[in-house]
Amino acid sequence: QVQVVESGGGLVQPGGSLRLSCAASGFTLDKYAIGWFRQAPGKEREGALCVSSRDGSTYYADSVKGRFTISRDNAKNTVLLQMNSLKPEDTAVYYCAAALFGTSATRYGYEYDYWGQGTQVIVSS
């Protein structure tokens, strides 16, 4: 009944942009902090790239600050991740996750309740 689905991944050249979407069904995202995570090939999943809290506060990791923006489209029960100035090191599978009653300080994978299946982002010339 509960499902989180990411979409919008693909191949993009360095310096380009992508917009990822995280759509929830079976629950409303307004009761959850939403985090974006990624796992690069051959590496373990990083801590949260960015987090959108229930009260509107946000967190951005240094690696994406100034380039990525997280936002909510409440009418569509969807969270967006706008990714600009992409670099080859951004290549990874990107995951959206929801943490019930989470805050912008909810930044570790184990704190999240629901996870999507991931969407592949490849940044390459």
Side-chain angles (χ1 to χ4, degrees), residues 38-100:
R38 68 187 179 189
Q39 185 171 11
K43 297 183 178 180
E44 295 186 358
R45 187 178 62 209
E46 300 177 18
L49 301 174
C50 53
V51 179
S52 170
S53 73
R54 294 169 292 135
D55 64 2
S57 63
T58 58
Y59 160 81
Y60 293 93
D62 289 342
S63 60
V64 304
K65 188 177 298 183
R67 299 190 298 123
F68 291 11
T69 302
I70 188 169
S71 62
R72 295 182 183 236
D73 186 339
N74 292 324
K76 297 181 179 180
N77 203 30
T78 298
V79 173
L80 305 175
L81 180 64
Q82 180 65 46
M83 308 164 64
N84 298 327
S85 302
L86 285 164
K87 306 173 182 179
E89 53 262 42
D90 294 319
T91 296
V93 176
Y94 283 70
Y95 298 91
C96 178
L100 183 62

Side-chain angles (χ1 to χ4, degrees), residues 92-112:
V93 176
Y94 283 70
Y95 298 91
C96 178
L100 183 62
F101 305 133
T103 72
S104 61
T106 306
R107 302 168 188 173
Y108 301 99
Y110 68 84
E111 299 179 282
Y112 285 78

